[in-house]
Amino acid sequence: KAGVTQTPRYLIKTRGQQVTLSCSPISGHRSVSWYQQTPGQGLQFLFEYFSETQRNKGNFPGRFSGRQFSNSRSEMNVSTLELGDSALYLCASSLDGRPTNEKLFFGSGTQLSVL
Amino acid sequence: AQTVTQSQPEMSVQEAETVTLSCTYDTSESNYYLFWYKQPPSRQMILVIRQEAYKQQNATENRFSVNFQKAAKSFSLKISDSQLGDTAMYFCASRSYSGGSNYKLTFGKGTLLTVNP
């Protein structure tokens, strides 16, 4: 079974641009969540999608948005990029994502650099 | 709100020895789960071990075990017979289970573990 796939692996953008990151979950998984990882702030929760609906959202500005498609693939978009958006963006998938000890499977992330 | 604190930014251990990584947490929820994740240089987060808060028995997974002290809100990870492949960043995380909308993991800042030959 293929794991969680994130594309692209690396991305370089300039301030003011927008970017779209993609995440393909493990087949059969319906929950996809996104995390931002930076050296200063560590890992922070962005949002979680289940069956094409955003079910939970972290404390990030409206420039950060996402969506999920009917095949459970998810995209996140960051508009008007700022230098502070430089980070590793991790996607995780699980069967239904409810707050149990359900195992989350992470991708290898997209490293975004904003110049 | 949940908080997770890892007080050891870096640790090192000799191959085949035992090392313990510390973690404390704070939560107002009565039902929650605790996890240790490993992030090697490949950047992929890998679940090492998980503990249900209502279970008193400490979880074990092969060479990995936890010391869960609920009253002290402490959740340390012990790695026995350390191997070179254990070199990675280790994150402690909590996840609440209260019927609310907390479908997220709250992570600590991580501990970089280096296993020396």
Side-chain angles (χ1 to χ4, degrees):
Chain A
K1 214 175 198 183
V4 178
T5 303
Q6 290 188 248
T7 56
R9 285 288 303 252
Y10 301 92
L11 207 49
I12 300 175
K13 293 286 187 178
T14 56
R15 278 184 300 174
Q17 288 186 311
Q18 75 165 19
V19 66
T20 299
L21 312 181
S22 178
C23 172
S24 293
I26 291 172
S27 178
H29 286 190
R30 296 168 66 191
S31 169
V32 174
S33 51
W34 289 88
Y35 291 82
Q36 181 196 65
Q37 185 177 14
T38 60
Q41 298 298 317
L43 282 146
Q44 294 184 290
F45 172 76
L46 279 155
F47 28 64
E48 187 248 356
Y49 286 87
F50 179 79
S51 291
E52 302 178 65
T53 301
Q54 187 181 87
R55 197 161 57 174
N56 198 19
K57 191 176 188 301
N59 296 322
F60 277 81
R63 299 185 298 106
F64 291 82
S65 63
R67 58 178 177 169
Q68 187 180 35
F69 302 94
S70 58
N71 62 357
S72 293
R73 189 177 72 86
S74 177
E75 289 181 347
M76 68 163 280
N77 183 275
V78 187
S79 62
T80 320
L81 283 166
E82 300 177 0
L83 295 178
D85 297 333
S86 295
L88 178 66
Y89 290 88
L90 290 166
C91 160
S93 78
S94 63
L95 282 170
D96 66 16
R98 275 179 283 187
T100 66
N101 64 343
E102 183 180 68
K103 189 172 181 177
L104 295 187
F105 293 83
F106 283 82
S108 294
T110 294
Q111 182 68 54
L112 171 65
S113 298
V114 182
L115 306 178
Chain B
Q2 301 175 70
T3 60
V4 178
T5 303
Q6 293 177 251
S7 59
Q8 305 151 315
E10 294 187 40
M11 292 189 73
S12 63
V13 64
Q14 292 299 121
E15 196 175 6
E17 292 188 346
T18 296
V19 64
T20 298
L21 309 183
S22 301
C23 171
T24 58
Y25 63 93
D26 194 15
T27 179
S28 57
E29 305 293 347
S30 56
N31 296 313
Y32 54 91
Y33 295 86
L34 299 166
F35 305 83
W36 278 98
Y37 278 87
K38 165 185 175 180
Q39 188 177 41
S42 67
R43 308 181 316 192
Q44 185 175 25
M45 298 283 278
I46 301 165
L47 178 65
V48 174
I49 198 165
R50 54 189 168 182
Q51 173 80 41
E52 295 155 7
Y54 63 86
K55 285 188 176 179
Q56 293 186 344
Q57 186 174 6
N58 290 325
T60 61
E61 287 285 345
N62 300 314
R63 298 182 295 106
F64 299 89
S65 62
V66 298
N67 183 5
F68 175 45
Q69 301 290 324
K70 191 170 184 177
K73 294 186 177 177
S74 170
F75 182 62
S76 60
L77 174 69
K78 185 171 83 171
I79 306 174
S80 304
D81 186 25
S82 297
Q83 301 176 0
L84 296 178
D86 294 334
T87 293
M89 184 72 84
Y90 286 81
F91 292 95
C92 179
S94 69
R95 194 175 195 198
S96 67
Y97 178 61
S98 63
S101 61
N102 284 329
Y103 303 118
K104 67 176 183 178
L105 284 170
T106 299
F107 288 91
K109 290 292 179 72
T111 297
L112 178 60
L113 176 67
T114 302
V115 180
N116 299 309

